[in-house]
Amino acid sequence: MLIAGNWKMFKGPAEAAAFCRELRATELPADVEVVVCPPFVSLSEAVQTLAGTEIGVFAQNCHWERDGAFTGEVSAPMLRELGVYGTIVGHSERRQYFGETDETVAKRARTALAEGLHVIACVGETGADRDAGETSEVLRRQTAVLEHDENLVVAYEPVWAIGTGKTATPAMADEAHELIKSVLDVPVLYGGSVKPDNAAELLGQGAVDGALVGGASLDVDSFAAICLAASPS
Ligand code: PGA
């Protein structure tokens, strides 16, 4: 099981360091892989504060070129130099607000993996896709551009469930995960309003290998509670 906390555009360096100090003092289950994904400016603090622990630090995005004239972007070698372990790519907020496409997501994933980063690649249908009966087609299309890699995991995040308090039913999540795995045989995380009180049920589904947690990862107690819910022991 992998539980990743996607902080989005929250927690500058000081807050990130305070969170990580508290997290490293918190008892977390040994059989759950725990990852935090701070904004770029807070990565260094997170890496330093969590040094010597099993908690991984991931970025939220990463460019497909190693360097170049790409104002505002950050590359995989730069993240590696900082001690960052992996990166999210293709989050629906990047697709929705920053013009990310299946092709750019695939390129970002490919380079990050080639440079030695672990990758969480996000896929998920919008509410309109689901209403139109196009969920399977969208998930297939978004997943098919990715290439299998032992350091790649996919996060299934139904866009209508992100930050809304609505979650896919455990059965819906399981079905979507099975479909994604039939296209690409990698672990699949569920994301979209995962909270301490619904985590155990969602994570109990056979095809759910962990969670990508947004809002509930911003507080140490609720994040730790979700990590505990992921532990079968
Ligand atoms: P949420 O976000 O848990 O706040 O719904 C999940 C995500 O966007 O990764």
Side-chain angles (χ1 to χ4, degrees), residues 6 8 88 91-93 122 157 161-166 191-195 212-217:
N6 173 16
K8 308 194 179 188
I88 298 172
H91 190 278
S92 65
E93 286 150 15
C122 304
E157 298 206 309
I162 294 178
T164 58
K166 295 183 201 163
S193 298
V194 175
K195 309 280 179 227
L212 182 55
V213 186
S217 75

